Amino acid sequence: MTGAIRGAAAGGGGPLAADDIGLCAARVPRQAGWVRHQTEPFRAPRPAEVIDAGPAVLRRWRVSDLEAASEAVLASLEHLRPWMPWAVDFSRASQAEFLVGSERDWQSGAAFNYAILADGAIAGSAGLMARIGPGGLEIGYWVHQAYTRRGLATASSAALVDQAFALPGIERVQIMHDELNVASGGIPRKLGFTEIERRPLDHKPLAGTGMGVVWELTRAQWAGTASR
């Protein structure tokens, strides 16, 4: 949901294990992947609608997921609210808006949003967002509190990196999280990302400072990692 992820996440003591609280704090107060856009739809290549991510399956969100998705978020609000600005005032109506927006964004290419499924149940959300300029996509995600520390955010992010670099013209992928969400850095670091800068987030999470840590992975770096 980064976009970003944890740190003494959901409240509590020291840094959490890097893999895997599963909260990637997005730079907008919406779920990972939610993007408003004014562009006309275009027919460019899209990532796969269903992705095998190992311990999870990523499946394109559907409007019909409303009830199950709402239940998953409501069951995880205590876990999500410290780092996900959109979770502070979450409602069934806002989830419906997200799902409708996801359909629109998929068609326009503004974002590609997925349900994270584990054992057939909704275990979170992940997305690729075209909001970092030409040639780049940003990853965001969140994981249901009952499915943390199972590697789902890491596996989902790795699968989305593969999908991003399978698209023509994509040369870089980023992940961004609040600087106090210390455990967030474990996932991009594990996947070979490099911290490139720190800049203010558009919306300060309840538990953070509002200063974002930006991680980036280039196509060449990913190809080198895959070849090892």
Side-chain angles (χ1 to χ4, degrees), residues 11-195:
L16 295 168
D19 191 30
D20 194 65
I21 297 297
L23 301 176
C24 189
R27 292 184 287 118
V28 294
R30 301 286 181 175
Q31 291 191 43
W34 193 97
V35 177
R36 280 203 182 278
H37 57 88
Q38 302 298 327
T39 57
E40 292 297 320
F42 60 92
R43 297 304 168 201
R46 302 286 192 273
E49 296 193 11
V50 179
I51 306 166
D52 183 351
V57 171
L58 304 185
R59 192 256 294 150
R60 178 181 169 182
W61 278 113
R62 306 165 181 158
V63 172
S64 59
D65 290 321
L66 178 57
E67 296 304 327
S70 297
E71 290 177 6
V73 176
L74 289 171
S76 302
L77 281 180
E78 182 179 352
H79 166 68
L80 295 172
R81 279 177 171 155
W83 302 109
M84 303 288 99
W86 58 263
V88 173
D89 59 354
F90 176 82
S91 67
R92 186 179 182 280
S94 65
Q95 182 65 31
E97 182 185 6
F98 166 73
L99 294 174
V100 170
S102 292
E103 291 279 355
R104 183 177 59 246
D105 290 344
W106 191 285
Q107 294 304 318
S108 73
F112 306 104
N113 296 318
Y114 296 86
I116 300 174
L117 305 177
D119 301 322
I122 292 177
S125 181
L128 287 168
M129 295 154 279
R131 64 186 187 191
I132 61 171
L137 291 170
E138 182 180 347
I139 291 175
Y141 48 83
W142 63 266
V143 173
H144 189 302
Q145 65 180 9
Y147 293 89
T148 61
R149 297 183 176 86
R150 298 190 188 186
L152 299 188
T154 299
S156 297
S157 296
L160 289 179
V161 169
D162 278 336
Q163 291 292 315
F165 288 136
L167 298 175
I170 299 301
E171 297 297 329
R172 59 198 175 91
V173 176
Q174 291 184 356
I175 290 175
M176 189 174 184
H177 61 85
D178 189 274
E179 64 181 350
L180 292 189
N181 210 348
V182 179
S184 296
I187 290 174
R189 185 180 292 110
K190 181 179 293 186
L191 296 178
F193 284 65
T194 300
E195 182 183 333

